[in-house]
Amino acid sequence: FDVVFSCYGPLSVHTIARRAKRFRIADRWIADFRDEASVPFSWQRSWLKRYIRLIRKNADVISAVGEGMLWIMRLDAFGRSLPNGFDLEDAELATPVAVDRTMLTLSYCGQMYAGHSDLTPVFAAVRALADAGACDVERIRFHYAGRQGRLFTEQAAAYGLADRVTDHGMLPRTASLGLQQASDVLIMATWNTEERRGIITGKLMEYMMADKPVLCCVSGCVPNSEARQLVDATRLGAGYEETSAQADMPAFQAYLQGLYRARFLGDASPYTPDREAIAAFDYQKIAAQLADWMENV
């Protein structure tokens, strides 16, 4: 074969691909990471370091979903970014989900991780705007789709907004896409820490496909997260990072107020996405990048 392409995980895929190149079953090897390589037990860490060292030594191309993941594995000097993306054909699979069109609908679809997925900046911004008379909470509705509805509602309750939450529970992906399309605003959460950097959830890519403004919340002690940078670069919405809370919250509130005024008062929407930048995450474009590596490595 000309190329063997292996995508982690499990750990064995790269081991097999390395042997395929070593025994000349394939001429070139592209080693990809959609997740950070890890082992379940601390006594295996030395083996993991050797595993990554062998990949670095033998692979012709090493790729990962982002620079942060490459950095965590100490592959940033060798690796290339091959992001996740979206497939526009998926939008055609969406099934309609009814929401109250008299409300400004803010939705979060997907997993919430306790201790990491912190949506309180959104609830805090809504509460602050309401207390200042800049919005009416009776015209705002939060929707959640996933398994952690209790956690979502608890975070809303901390700001007196629990009664504004609709918990859909676990929805099929087609219905999740439908809820995204029916919403006015989409919420996402990620984190950026010394242990885990560069986490860009797949939901952000789905949100790009929905073509709706995104409120991006990033917890953790490391600034300048890739998720926040991506939202800013594509003008997809507004970002908030725990490390720059004081600087970010006023702009976060202003963006949310602008969406509220656009919805109910006819003001110009602050949502002005860079559609060319977003189009770079279409899977056709990403596949073309990978094909170029396969042809020209």
Side-chain angles (χ1 to χ4, degrees), residues 97-98 107-112 141-153 165-180 203:
V97 174
S107 297
Y108 182 100
C109 300
Q111 185 88 351
M112 290 185 67
R141 195 79 195 172
F142 298 97
H143 289 254
Y144 175 76
R147 301 184 190 276
Q148 290 76 40
R150 180 176 179 179
L151 177 58
F152 184 91
T153 304
V165 172
T166 298
D167 181 5
H168 296 267
M170 193 66 183
L171 292 178
R173 183 162 184 263
T174 54
S176 174
L177 293 171
L179 177 58
Q180 292 170 37
K203 282 299 172 190

Short mmCIF file of all heavy atoms in Angstrom, two decimals, residues 97-98 107-112 141-153 165-180 203:
data_model
loop_
_atom_site.label_atom_id
_atom_site.label_comp_id
_atom_site.label_asym_id
_atom_site.label_seq_id
_atom_site.Cartn_x
_atom_site.Cartn_y
_atom_site.Cartn_z
N VAL A 97 -38.19 20.28 16.30
CA VAL A 97 -38.46 20.32 17.73
C VAL A 97 -39.16 21.64 18.01
O VAL A 97 -38.66 22.71 17.65
CB VAL A 97 -37.17 20.22 18.56
CG1 VAL A 97 -37.46 20.42 20.05
CG2 VAL A 97 -36.49 18.86 18.34
N ALA A 98 -40.31 21.57 18.64
CA ALA A 98 -41.12 22.77 18.88
C ALA A 98 -40.58 23.54 20.08
O ALA A 98 -40.30 22.97 21.13
CB ALA A 98 -42.57 22.38 19.11
N SER A 107 -30.04 27.21 23.99
CA SER A 107 -29.99 25.76 24.14
C SER A 107 -28.57 25.25 24.31
O SER A 107 -27.62 25.78 23.73
CB SER A 107 -30.62 25.08 22.92
OG SER A 107 -31.98 25.40 22.80
N TYR A 108 -28.47 24.19 25.12
CA TYR A 108 -27.23 23.44 25.29
C TYR A 108 -27.55 21.99 24.98
O TYR A 108 -28.44 21.40 25.60
CB TYR A 108 -26.70 23.58 26.71
CG TYR A 108 -25.38 22.86 26.95
CD1 TYR A 108 -24.19 23.56 26.95
CD2 TYR A 108 -25.33 21.49 27.18
CE1 TYR A 108 -22.97 22.92 27.16
CE2 TYR A 108 -24.12 20.83 27.39
CZ TYR A 108 -22.95 21.55 27.38
OH TYR A 108 -21.76 20.91 27.58
N CYS A 109 -26.83 21.41 24.04
CA CYS A 109 -27.06 20.02 23.65
C CYS A 109 -25.80 19.22 23.91
O CYS A 109 -24.74 19.54 23.38
CB CYS A 109 -27.43 19.92 22.16
SG CYS A 109 -28.93 20.82 21.70
N GLY A 110 -25.92 18.16 24.72
CA GLY A 110 -24.78 17.28 24.90
C GLY A 110 -24.38 17.07 26.34
O GLY A 110 -25.07 17.47 27.28
N GLN A 111 -23.23 16.45 26.49
CA GLN A 111 -22.70 16.03 27.77
C GLN A 111 -22.24 17.23 28.60
O GLN A 111 -21.72 18.21 28.08
CB GLN A 111 -21.50 15.10 27.54
CG GLN A 111 -20.90 14.50 28.79
CD GLN A 111 -21.57 13.20 29.20
OE1 GLN A 111 -22.60 12.84 28.64
NE2 GLN A 111 -20.98 12.50 30.14
N MET A 112 -22.48 17.13 29.92
CA MET A 112 -21.90 18.08 30.87
C MET A 112 -21.02 17.29 31.83
O MET A 112 -21.42 16.25 32.34
CB MET A 112 -22.98 18.83 31.64
CG MET A 112 -23.77 19.81 30.80
SD MET A 112 -24.94 20.79 31.78
CE MET A 112 -23.82 21.78 32.80
N ARG A 141 -35.92 31.55 27.56
CA ARG A 141 -36.10 30.13 27.90
C ARG A 141 -34.82 29.37 27.59
O ARG A 141 -34.24 29.52 26.50
CB ARG A 141 -37.25 29.52 27.08
CG ARG A 141 -37.73 28.18 27.62
CD ARG A 141 -38.64 28.39 28.81
NE ARG A 141 -38.83 27.16 29.57
CZ ARG A 141 -39.46 27.11 30.73
NH1 ARG A 141 -39.94 28.22 31.28
NH2 ARG A 141 -39.60 25.98 31.38
N PHE A 142 -34.36 28.59 28.57
CA PHE A 142 -33.20 27.73 28.40
C PHE A 142 -33.66 26.31 28.11
O PHE A 142 -34.56 25.79 28.77
CB PHE A 142 -32.33 27.73 29.67
CG PHE A 142 -31.77 29.07 30.03
CD1 PHE A 142 -32.39 29.87 30.97
CD2 PHE A 142 -30.60 29.54 29.42
CE1 PHE A 142 -31.87 31.11 31.32
CE2 PHE A 142 -30.08 30.78 29.76
CZ PHE A 142 -30.72 31.57 30.70
N HIS A 143 -33.04 25.67 27.13
CA HIS A 143 -33.35 24.28 26.80
C HIS A 143 -32.09 23.45 26.96
O HIS A 143 -31.00 23.86 26.56
CB HIS A 143 -33.85 24.17 25.36
CG HIS A 143 -35.22 24.73 25.16
ND1 HIS A 143 -36.33 23.95 24.99
CD2 HIS A 143 -35.66 26.02 25.12
CE1 HIS A 143 -37.40 24.71 24.84
NE2 HIS A 143 -37.01 25.99 24.91
N TYR A 144 -32.26 22.25 27.53
CA TYR A 144 -31.15 21.32 27.68
C TYR A 144 -31.53 19.97 27.10
O TYR A 144 -32.64 19.47 27.32
CB TYR A 144 -30.76 21.15 29.15
CG TYR A 144 -29.68 20.09 29.31
CD1 TYR A 144 -28.36 20.37 28.97
CD2 TYR A 144 -29.99 18.81 29.73
CE1 TYR A 144 -27.36 19.40 29.06
CE2 TYR A 144 -29.01 17.83 29.82
CZ TYR A 144 -27.70 18.13 29.49
OH TYR A 144 -26.73 17.17 29.56
N ALA A 145 -30.61 19.38 26.35
CA ALA A 145 -30.79 18.03 25.81
C ALA A 145 -29.56 17.21 26.16
O ALA A 145 -28.45 17.52 25.71
CB ALA A 145 -31.00 18.07 24.30
N GLY A 146 -29.75 16.17 26.95
CA GLY A 146 -28.64 15.33 27.37
C GLY A 146 -28.98 14.59 28.66
O GLY A 146 -30.12 14.62 29.12
N ARG A 147 -27.96 13.97 29.26
CA ARG A 147 -28.17 13.16 30.45
C ARG A 147 -27.97 13.92 31.75
O ARG A 147 -28.21 13.38 32.83
CB ARG A 147 -27.22 11.95 30.43
CG ARG A 147 -27.38 11.04 29.22
CD ARG A 147 -26.47 9.83 29.34
NE ARG A 147 -26.43 9.06 28.10
CZ ARG A 147 -27.33 8.13 27.75
NH1 ARG A 147 -28.34 7.88 28.56
NH2 ARG A 147 -27.21 7.46 26.62
N GLN A 148 -27.47 15.16 31.67
CA GLN A 148 -27.14 15.89 32.90
C GLN A 148 -28.09 17.06 33.14
O GLN A 148 -27.66 18.15 33.52
CB GLN A 148 -25.68 16.38 32.85
CG GLN A 148 -24.64 15.29 32.98
CD GLN A 148 -24.48 14.48 31.71
OE1 GLN A 148 -24.49 15.04 30.62
NE2 GLN A 148 -24.29 13.18 31.85
N GLY A 149 -29.37 16.85 32.91
CA GLY A 149 -30.34 17.93 33.11
C GLY A 149 -30.35 18.47 34.52
O GLY A 149 -30.57 19.67 34.73
N ARG A 150 -30.11 17.60 35.48
CA ARG A 150 -30.10 18.05 36.87
C ARG A 150 -28.97 19.05 37.11
O ARG A 150 -29.16 20.09 37.76
CB ARG A 150 -29.95 16.85 37.81
CG ARG A 150 -29.93 17.22 39.29
CD ARG A 150 -29.88 15.98 40.16
NE ARG A 150 -29.85 16.32 41.58
CZ ARG A 150 -29.82 15.43 42.56
NH1 ARG A 150 -29.84 14.13 42.26
NH2 ARG A 150 -29.77 15.82 43.82
N LEU A 151 -27.77 18.76 36.58
CA LEU A 151 -26.64 19.67 36.73
C LEU A 151 -26.91 20.99 36.03
O LEU A 151 -26.61 22.07 36.57
CB LEU A 151 -25.37 19.02 36.17
CG LEU A 151 -24.09 19.85 36.18
CD1 LEU A 151 -23.73 20.28 37.59
CD2 LEU A 151 -22.93 19.05 35.57
N PHE A 152 -27.47 20.93 34.84
CA PHE A 152 -27.81 22.15 34.10
C PHE A 152 -28.78 23.01 34.92
O PHE A 152 -28.59 24.22 35.07
CB PHE A 152 -28.44 21.77 32.76
CG PHE A 152 -28.75 22.93 31.85
CD1 PHE A 152 -27.82 23.38 30.93
CD2 PHE A 152 -29.98 23.58 31.91
CE1 PHE A 152 -28.10 24.45 30.09
CE2 PHE A 152 -30.28 24.64 31.07
CZ PHE A 152 -29.34 25.08 30.16
N THR A 153 -29.83 22.38 35.47
CA THR A 153 -30.85 23.11 36.23
C THR A 153 -30.27 23.67 37.52
O THR A 153 -30.61 24.78 37.93
CB THR A 153 -32.05 22.20 36.53
OG1 THR A 153 -32.55 21.67 35.30
CG2 THR A 153 -33.16 22.96 37.23
N VAL A 165 -36.01 26.78 32.70
CA VAL A 165 -35.33 25.66 32.06
C VAL A 165 -36.33 24.62 31.56
O VAL A 165 -37.24 24.23 32.29
CB VAL A 165 -34.33 24.99 33.02
CG1 VAL A 165 -33.76 23.70 32.41
CG2 VAL A 165 -33.20 25.94 33.38
N THR A 166 -36.14 24.16 30.33
CA THR A 166 -36.84 23.00 29.79
C THR A 166 -35.81 21.90 29.57
O THR A 166 -34.86 22.08 28.81
CB THR A 166 -37.53 23.32 28.45
OG1 THR A 166 -38.53 24.34 28.66
CG2 THR A 166 -38.20 22.08 27.87
N ASP A 167 -35.99 20.77 30.27
CA ASP A 167 -35.07 19.64 30.17
C ASP A 167 -35.69 18.58 29.26
O ASP A 167 -36.67 17.95 29.62
CB ASP A 167 -34.81 19.07 31.57
CG ASP A 167 -33.84 17.91 31.55
OD1 ASP A 167 -33.29 17.61 30.47
OD2 ASP A 167 -33.63 17.30 32.62
N HIS A 168 -35.09 18.41 28.10
CA HIS A 168 -35.61 17.43 27.13
C HIS A 168 -35.12 16.02 27.40
O HIS A 168 -35.59 15.08 26.76
CB HIS A 168 -35.19 17.83 25.71
CG HIS A 168 -35.77 19.12 25.24
ND1 HIS A 168 -36.95 19.19 24.53
CD2 HIS A 168 -35.35 20.41 25.39
CE1 HIS A 168 -37.21 20.47 24.23
NE2 HIS A 168 -36.25 21.22 24.75
N GLY A 169 -34.15 15.88 28.32
CA GLY A 169 -33.55 14.57 28.50
C GLY A 169 -32.70 14.20 27.29
O GLY A 169 -32.33 15.04 26.48
N MET A 170 -32.43 12.92 27.18
CA MET A 170 -31.59 12.44 26.07
C MET A 170 -32.41 12.40 24.79
O MET A 170 -33.45 11.72 24.73
CB MET A 170 -31.04 11.05 26.40
CG MET A 170 -29.94 10.60 25.48
SD MET A 170 -28.46 11.62 25.69
CE MET A 170 -27.41 10.93 24.42
N LEU A 171 -31.97 13.12 23.78
CA LEU A 171 -32.66 13.16 22.49
C LEU A 171 -31.85 12.38 21.45
O LEU A 171 -30.62 12.35 21.51
CB LEU A 171 -32.83 14.60 22.00
CG LEU A 171 -33.77 15.51 22.77
CD1 LEU A 171 -33.74 16.91 22.14
CD2 LEU A 171 -35.19 14.97 22.78
N PRO A 172 -32.52 11.78 20.46
CA PRO A 172 -31.78 11.26 19.30
C PRO A 172 -31.02 12.39 18.63
O PRO A 172 -31.42 13.56 18.73
CB PRO A 172 -32.89 10.70 18.40
CG PRO A 172 -34.09 10.59 19.25
CD PRO A 172 -33.97 11.61 20.33
N ARG A 173 -29.95 12.06 17.94
CA ARG A 173 -29.15 13.12 17.31
C ARG A 173 -29.98 13.94 16.34
O ARG A 173 -29.78 15.16 16.22
CB ARG A 173 -27.94 12.51 16.59
CG ARG A 173 -27.04 13.59 15.98
CD ARG A 173 -25.66 13.07 15.66
NE ARG A 173 -24.83 14.15 15.16
CZ ARG A 173 -24.61 14.39 13.87
NH1 ARG A 173 -25.18 13.64 12.95
NH2 ARG A 173 -23.84 15.38 13.50
N THR A 174 -30.91 13.31 15.63
CA THR A 174 -31.73 14.05 14.67
C THR A 174 -32.56 15.12 15.37
O THR A 174 -32.72 16.23 14.87
CB THR A 174 -32.65 13.09 13.91
OG1 THR A 174 -33.41 12.31 14.84
CG2 THR A 174 -31.84 12.16 13.02
N ALA A 175 -33.08 14.78 16.57
CA ALA A 175 -33.86 15.75 17.33
C ALA A 175 -32.96 16.82 17.95
O ALA A 175 -33.36 17.99 18.05
CB ALA A 175 -34.67 15.05 18.42
N SER A 176 -31.74 16.43 18.36
CA SER A 176 -30.79 17.42 18.86
C SER A 176 -30.47 18.46 17.79
O SER A 176 -30.43 19.66 18.06
CB SER A 176 -29.51 16.72 19.32
OG SER A 176 -28.52 17.67 19.70
N LEU A 177 -30.27 18.00 16.56
CA LEU A 177 -30.04 18.92 15.45
C LEU A 177 -31.26 19.81 15.23
O LEU A 177 -31.13 21.01 14.95
CB LEU A 177 -29.73 18.14 14.18
CG LEU A 177 -28.40 17.37 14.16
CD1 LEU A 177 -28.32 16.47 12.93
CD2 LEU A 177 -27.21 18.32 14.19
N GLY A 178 -32.44 19.24 15.39
CA GLY A 178 -33.66 20.03 15.24
C GLY A 178 -33.78 21.10 16.30
O GLY A 178 -34.22 22.22 16.01
N LEU A 179 -33.42 20.77 17.55
CA LEU A 179 -33.46 21.76 18.62
C LEU A 179 -32.47 22.88 18.35
O LEU A 179 -32.77 24.06 18.57
CB LEU A 179 -33.14 21.09 19.96
CG LEU A 179 -33.07 22.01 21.18
CD1 LEU A 179 -34.38 22.76 21.38
CD2 LEU A 179 -32.71 21.21 22.44
N GLN A 180 -31.29 22.54 17.85
CA GLN A 180 -30.30 23.57 17.52
C GLN A 180 -30.84 24.52 16.45
O GLN A 180 -30.68 25.74 16.55
CB GLN A 180 -29.01 22.91 17.04
CG GLN A 180 -28.26 22.14 18.11
CD GLN A 180 -27.13 21.32 17.55
OE1 GLN A 180 -26.44 21.73 16.61
NE2 GLN A 180 -26.92 20.13 18.10
N LYS A 203 -19.66 19.38 19.55
CA LYS A 203 -20.88 20.19 19.48
C LYS A 203 -20.62 21.56 18.86
O LYS A 203 -21.48 22.11 18.19
CB LYS A 203 -21.47 20.38 20.88
CG LYS A 203 -22.23 19.17 21.38
CD LYS A 203 -23.42 18.85 20.48
CE LYS A 203 -24.05 17.53 20.87
NZ LYS A 203 -25.03 17.06 19.89
#
